[in-house]
Amino acid sequence: MKKLILAATGLIVAVLGFGSLTAPTSQANPLTIYVINNHVGAALAGITPAAFDTMMTTPGTGVGGRGTLSAATLAAMQAASGGQISADMTYAGTDWVLVQSNDSITPVTLNGRGLVCTAPVCDNSAASGLVPSGVDQIAVWHITGVGTFVPATMTATQTSVSLDSIALTTVGNARNFTLAMAGTPPKTTIQEGATTCAETASTASPTVALAVATYTDVNGVALVGYSPTFATSAVANMAVGNPTAVTTGAAATSQVEMTMVQADKSVSGESTVCGIAASTGVTLSATTTANELSGLASPFTITRTQTIVVTGVPAAIALTANPAAIACDGTATSTVTAKVTDSAGNNVVDNTPVTFSVVALGTANPIQAKTTGGSASSTFTPLS
């Protein structure tokens, strides 16, 4: 069984400007380069990778044309793609190189030794003409992975344009796959009562936690462009995040996500999980698409699991004091602990807010606390 393993190697993409022999009719202001993983771009655009590839090859601002993508959208796709070029293009996706000029429509030349592209071929220093002014002014190349990945500098040149560059990294095939819950410590207990479970649900809510699936290559580099599927074993108790905010039925049973660079600069596929009804344990799973790991010929998947406890809403509070009796001298203290449970006697979810108040003369610090393991504490000091 032969495996292609590729060590991470830094590549630099540079966009260089040279003076024209004749006075240009307009200046490129600015000229920008984007390197976008087609799986990532498709996920952000809400279309299939095949439809995204068609968009990249379709000029103009008409239906399906790449000119419909704003500079902000292209920048977001670029950021989420992380500048990765993978050895595993079948499962991690391929990359598109876009060179955009706001004004100039003179040809752009792209040359990257060790990277083979189509329309045109990068290694042959072929030029790609921009479409007419007022359409989208984007020259496009597709990295196909045919050829050898070696340390190199990819250079794009256009007459009379400003300088721009972007760092790229070559990565190997996916070799490992993990599932974890976000938070310190990881949030593995959530509260019932969620009415929706959108992908954008705030994890600050007691009913929501964040699941993180990560693919890494042989060097431990987290990879973009892969497609884990998150699923819940009991949709009546816990849902997984989905675009339509469904909490019951098939849409809440499983959700395919895309690994990409997240807002916190981590690289993962992320899905929210939401508590619907109390349960002592629901299994959350994340499963790879067939053959994503190591690219083996025989179809296989890897599944990682995590048990999530769904508690009920707070229903009872029991107070204890340690010590139970203290002198009223203004200095002695007692730690008062509130044990908060649901109707079944289970601990409520961590970070449930508890407010302490002092009936007799004295102080409590803090007045507001949050539970850990079902309990929250405050220090009581009576006045002298």
Side-chain angles (χ1 to χ4, degrees):
M1 178 173 61
K2 186 176 180 181
K3 301 178 182 178
L4 174 62
I5 306 299
L6 190 64
T9 305
L11 298 179
I12 300 297
V13 179
V15 180
L16 304 177
F18 295 89
S20 174
L21 295 178
T22 59
T25 56
S26 62
Q27 298 283 324
N29 182 31
L31 182 136
T32 308
I33 189 166
Y34 305 98
V35 179
I36 299 172
N37 178 287
N38 75 322
H39 286 183
V40 172
L44 292 179
I47 58 180
T48 66
F52 184 81
D53 291 343
T54 298
M55 175 182 286
M56 290 297 97
T57 58
T58 304
T61 55
V63 176
R66 60 179 178 260
T68 59
L69 299 176
S70 66
T73 299
L74 290 172
M77 291 177 174
Q78 156 71 52
S81 298
Q84 285 192 7
I85 297 178
S86 176
D88 182 16
M89 297 197 172
T90 300
Y91 301 105
T94 60
D95 292 277
W96 289 90
V97 180
L98 286 74
V99 180
Q100 184 175 36
S101 170
N102 290 349
D103 298 310
S104 177
I105 59 171
T106 56
V108 175
T109 301
L110 187 67
N111 178 43
R113 296 302 306 173
L115 298 175
V116 178
C117 308
T118 59
V121 177
C122 302
D123 281 350
N124 290 341
S125 301
S128 177
L130 294 166
V131 296
S133 179
V135 182
D136 63 19
Q137 295 91 46
I138 298 178
V140 177
W141 290 263
H142 193 201
I143 298 176
T144 64
V146 179
T148 304
F149 288 87
V150 296
T153 297
M154 182 187 292
T155 303
T157 61
Q158 184 184 22
T159 56
S160 302
V161 297
S162 58
L163 173 67
D164 191 17
S165 63
I166 183 172
L168 299 184
T169 303
T170 58
V171 295
N173 303 63
R175 292 293 301 276
N176 193 23
F177 177 67
T178 61
L179 170 65
M181 303 304 294
T184 306
K187 188 176 182 179
T188 58
T189 300
I190 53 179
Q191 181 180 292
E192 68 176 352
T195 56
T196 61
C197 195
E199 290 177 339
T200 56
S202 172
T203 55
S205 166
T207 63
V208 177
L210 182 66
V212 180
T214 306
Y215 296 76
T216 54
D217 68 6
V218 69
N219 297 304
V221 179
L223 306 174
V224 304
Y226 289 89
S227 305
T229 299
F230 294 89
T232 173
S233 64
V235 68
N237 300 100
M238 185 180 76
V240 293
N242 57 85
T244 55
V246 176
T247 56
T248 59
T253 303
S254 65
Q255 177 65 22
V256 179
E257 295 291 349
M258 180 61 53
T259 61
M260 61 181 71
V261 180
Q262 306 297 332
D264 60 0
K265 304 303 180 184
S266 63
V267 179
S268 62
E270 299 181 352
S271 181
T272 52
V273 292
C274 308
I276 307 303
S279 172
T280 56
V282 182
T283 299
L284 171 69
S285 64
T287 304
T288 66
T289 301
N291 297 339
E292 281 186 325
L293 264 67
S294 301
L296 299 180
S298 300
F300 79 104
T301 59
I302 298 293
T303 297
R304 308 296 187 195
T305 61
Q306 172 68 56
T307 299
I308 306 294
V309 175
V310 184
T311 69
V313 297
I317 300 178
L319 289 177
T320 58
N322 184 26
I326 57 175
C328 292
D329 57 8
T331 59
T333 62
S334 177
T335 300
V336 179
T337 300
K339 182 74 169 180
V340 188
T341 55
D342 64 12
S343 60
N346 299 311
N347 294 339
V348 295
V349 66
D350 286 353
N351 294 315
T352 296
V354 176
T355 300
F356 293 87
S357 61
V358 180
V359 177
L361 295 178
T363 61
N365 183 31
I367 293 295
Q368 293 185 324
K370 293 184 178 181
T371 60
T372 300
S375 297
S377 297
S378 181
T379 299
F380 171 65
T381 305
L383 296 180
S384 174

